[in-house]
């Protein structure tokens, strides 16, 4: 039970709690900063804020000892107009006035009564009878209908899994990268859906990331054109280069199309698709070796950490295996885990990705994933300055230049050989590349995909056993696009893109992108992954889908007056309008 209600506010509007206290029959003491309209009973007083502590104490004592009938408080407040029936009558009168039919208590005749009854009936229909709930369209194919979503989901999974199945070595040996074109079906579905149900909001959200992604392809193409014109390159080299750019563009646009259709759920669908593709490849490879031999080969590979032979060697699917590393990084650190269902999905997909990642057994990728999972966990909860991530990108570019210098002059080879590390012929390939480039700012390159030409030539001349590139994509890019092109390629990926994600979304999205790119960078240094189809798609898709939920809302436009007088004039105008 309360004895007294005291509100010594310095700033206050009309306090409803003060009216409720008087309705309960309490004595009330308010400061003079509270509007006088709150004083509804004789048991409510105001004391100036400027009064002394003694004056306040005396006023409180007086109100405590003043007799008060608490049962009469509610009726007193009702008489002051704070009653639902009185308020409803006032509201009705206001609506009648708005309708142009305000009447005195005695009524205004039969005609007016009819008009009044018609108006009140219409008002009653508007306020109480109209059903404002969302109606389900009669058609099964309305926008975002469950049937549409199921068809789109099944279609995208089928197209992606079918394209992924093209990584199976017998298919890949027969038709090369042609099955990757099946993923164009995802782009077609997105275009079809946009044709029937255009979503301008999503299109506005996605055009900037798409432009950023495609700027890398455009930069490589136009710089290669400069090189081709300057060196009178062969048409075959141009065709090979353009075909690689086309396939890279398909990978990027497929990622964008998935995010357009499913937003953040695109990551889950992509994971399911590549898991289906990898499972199909595992099952299709068993008949060629027998079930028992296949299991034995797989167990031996896992126990020996990479001693692959027979069936296990058939499962060394380079591109998809590196993609599973990216997905492990996402599910281990960044995947949502708020609800129980999200936690279950995260654990399931993480286990599946780890399984297929180990089955593919790319030894350099395993420590790279572990390293960047730890780095992401360390930085995720830390607030870093806005310049931090772009500065990391600049440091990466400087490291690449130092690395290229050491590769050019054999420092890396001598260092690794001194530790007894088997470079598996990489040092031989790097030394053979020396006559084809210069480590100089004036070196402009030989054209995108030129390295494939010289590798084919070495293979035909019997200088190498397999027609594989340098197993060093940093060197490959430098040889092909030269010093200016390399700076352009690395700056877009390592500096401009982190800056973009910081402004477009937030620092956590930037951290996700740089963690995925950092993991892939390790493979760039030791393998040929920079322009792998699926790796390119996953790197763009995961970050873009994640950014959709973390995108910063546009800052509201707030009018700020230049002076107090402008503010007074504006208020005066608004008061006149009211």
């Amino acid at each position: 039970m309360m004895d007294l209600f005291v509100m010594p506010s310095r700033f206050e509007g009309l306090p409803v709690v003060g009216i409720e206290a008087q309705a309960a029959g309490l004595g009330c003491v308010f400061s003079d900063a509270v509007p006088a309209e709150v004083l509804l009973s004789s048991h409510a007083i105001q004391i100036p804020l400027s009064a002394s502590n003694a004056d306040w104490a005396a006023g409180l004592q007086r109100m405590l000892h003043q007799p008060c009938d608490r049962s009469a408080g509610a009726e007193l407040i009702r008489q002051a107009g704070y009653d639902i029936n009185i308020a409803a009558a006032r509201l009705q009168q206001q609506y009648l006035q708005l309708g142009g039919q305000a009447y005195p208590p005695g009524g205004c005749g039969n005609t007016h009564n009819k008009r009044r009854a018609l108006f009140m009936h219409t008002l009653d229909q508007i306020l109480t009878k109209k059903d404002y709930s969302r109606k389900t369209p009669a058609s099964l194919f309305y926008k975002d209908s469950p049937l549409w979503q199921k068809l789109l989901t099944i279609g995208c999974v089928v197209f992606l899994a079918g394209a992924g199945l093209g990584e199976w070595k017998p298919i890949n040996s027969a038709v090369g990268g042609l099955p990757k074109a099946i993923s164009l079906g995802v782009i077609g579905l997105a275009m079809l859906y946009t044709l029937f149900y255009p979503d301008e909001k999503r299109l506005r959200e996605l055009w900037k990331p798409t432009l950023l992604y495609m700027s890398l392809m455009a930069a490589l193409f136009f710089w290669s054109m400069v090189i081709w014109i300057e060196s009178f390159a062969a048409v075959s080299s141009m065709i090979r280069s353009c075909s690689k750019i086309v396939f890279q563009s398909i990978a990027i646009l497929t990622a964008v199309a998935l995010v357009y259709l499913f937003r953040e759920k695109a990551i889950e669908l992509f994971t399911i698709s590549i898991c289906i593709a990898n499972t199909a490849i595992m099952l299709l490879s068993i008949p060629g070796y027998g079930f028992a031999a296949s299991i034995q080969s797989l167990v031996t590979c896992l126990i020996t950490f990479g001693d692959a032979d027979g069936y296990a060697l058939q499962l060394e699917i380079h591109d998809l295996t590196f993609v599973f590393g990216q997905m492990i990084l996402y599910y281990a650190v960044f995947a949502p885990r708020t609800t129980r269902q999200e936690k279950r999905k995260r654990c399931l997909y993480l286990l599946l990705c780890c399984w297929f990642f180990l089955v593919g057994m790319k030894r350099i990728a395993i420590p790279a994933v572990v390293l960047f999972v730890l780095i992401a966990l360390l930085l995720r909860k830390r607030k870093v300055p806005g310049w931090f991530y772009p500065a990391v990108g600049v440091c990466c570019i400087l490291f690449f230049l130092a690395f290229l210098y050491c590769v050019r002059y054999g420092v890396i080879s001598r260092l690794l050989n001194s530790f007894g590390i088997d470079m598996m012929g990489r040092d031989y390939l790097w030394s053979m590349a020396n006559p084809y480039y210069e480590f100089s700012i004036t070196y402009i390159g030989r054209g995108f995909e030129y390295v494939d030409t010289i590798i084919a030539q070495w293979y035909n001349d019997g200088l190498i056993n397999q027609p594989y590139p340098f197993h060093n994509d940093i060197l490959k890019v430098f040889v092909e696009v030269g010093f200016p092109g390399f700076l352009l390629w690395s700056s877009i990926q390592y500096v401009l893109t982190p800056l973009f994600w910081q402004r477009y979304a937030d620092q956590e999205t930037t951290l996700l992108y740089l963690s995925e790119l950092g993991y892939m960078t390790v493979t760039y240094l030791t393998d040929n992954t920079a322009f792998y189809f699926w790796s390119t798609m996953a790197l763009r898709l995961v970050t873009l889908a994640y950014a959709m939920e973390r995108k910063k809302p546009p800052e509201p436009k707030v009018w700020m007056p230049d002076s107090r007088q402008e503010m007074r004039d504006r208020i005066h105008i608004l008061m006149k309008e009211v």
Side-chain angles (χ1 to χ4, degrees), residues 177-439:
L178 193 59
K180 294 180 176 67
I182 298 174
S183 59
L184 282 169
V186 177
I187 301 174
L189 286 176
M191 293 176 66
L192 182 66
Y193 191 74
T194 305
L195 182 65
F196 286 101
Y197 308 110
D199 192 330
E200 294 182 8
K201 181 182 176 182
R202 289 195 190 182
L203 291 172
R204 285 195 300 268
E205 287 178 337
L206 290 173
W207 78 267
K208 288 183 180 179
T210 305
L211 187 64
L212 174 70
Y213 287 162
M214 294 305 296
S215 66
L216 182 62
M217 296 298 101
L220 289 173
F221 176 72
F222 286 113
W223 183 249
S224 292
M225 283 189 65
V226 172
I227 297 171
W228 296 333
I229 293 171
E230 193 273 339
S231 61
F232 300 100
V235 175
S236 59
S237 298
M238 298 181 190
I239 293 174
R240 186 183 298 109
S241 174
C242 290
S243 64
K244 176 59 73 70
I245 290 175
V246 167
F247 273 97
Q248 287 287 293
S249 300
I250 291 173
I252 292 170
L253 294 176
T254 301
V256 174
L258 275 173
V259 176
Y260 174 78
L261 291 172
F262 303 104
R263 294 182 66 84
E264 71 281 0
K265 292 183 180 179
I267 301 176
E268 182 180 342
L269 289 181
F270 181 76
T271 305
I272 292 171
S273 302
I274 60 175
C275 286
I276 291 174
N278 219 93
T279 302
I281 290 173
M282 291 181 69
L283 294 176
L284 290 171
S285 300
I286 289 176
Y289 300 92
F291 183 78
S294 299
I295 298 299
Q296 182 180 359
S297 173
L298 187 58
V299 171
T300 302
C301 178
L302 294 174
I303 293 175
T304 60
F305 195 66
D307 188 9
D309 190 20
Y311 177 73
L313 188 62
Q314 190 76 11
L315 301 182
E316 192 177 323
I317 311 161
H318 302 278
D319 197 354
L320 288 180
T321 301
F322 288 120
V323 169
F324 283 116
Q326 291 189 49
M327 306 315 294
I328 289 171
L329 213 162
Y330 167 74
Y331 285 112
V333 183
F334 298 95
R337 63 196 80 176
T338 305
T339 65
R340 183 175 298 178
Q341 183 181 14
E342 287 176 344
K343 290 178 181 178
R344 285 200 297 263
K345 282 186 176 182
R346 172 178 170 266
C347 291
L348 174 62
Y349 293 139
L350 182 59
L351 288 173
L352 285 173
C353 291
C354 287
W355 164 249
F356 289 118
F357 185 62
L358 291 175
V359 166
M361 192 53 70
K362 303 301 294 184
R363 283 172 289 190
I364 190 62
I366 294 174
V369 166
V370 174
L371 172 64
F372 282 96
V373 164
L374 294 176
I375 291 174
L377 289 172
L378 178 66
L379 292 177
R380 191 184 181 198
K381 298 302 181 182
R382 295 178 180 270
K383 182 69 175 179
V384 298
W387 52 263
F388 178 78
Y389 291 123
V392 169
V394 172
C395 291
C396 288
I397 296 174
L398 295 176
F399 167 76
F400 293 153
L401 294 176
F403 176 78
L404 287 167
Y405 178 86
C406 293
V407 168
R408 170 76 179 182
Y409 295 103
V411 177
I412 299 292
S413 301
R414 290 195 298 272
L415 179 63
L416 295 178
N417 289 330
S418 67
F419 285 99
I421 297 175
D422 183 10
M423 296 185 65
M424 302 178 69
R426 288 177 174 83
D427 51 347
Y428 174 66
L429 286 172
W430 299 350
S431 64
M432 289 182 64
N434 281 348
Y436 295 89
Y437 74 101
E438 300 173 2
F439 187 75

Side-chain angles (χ1 to χ4, degrees), residues 3 5 73 76 102 197 274 401 437 456 459 539:
D3 298 316
F5 180 82
L76 184 67
Y197 308 110
I274 60 175
L401 294 176
Y437 74 101
Y459 178 71
L539 182 61

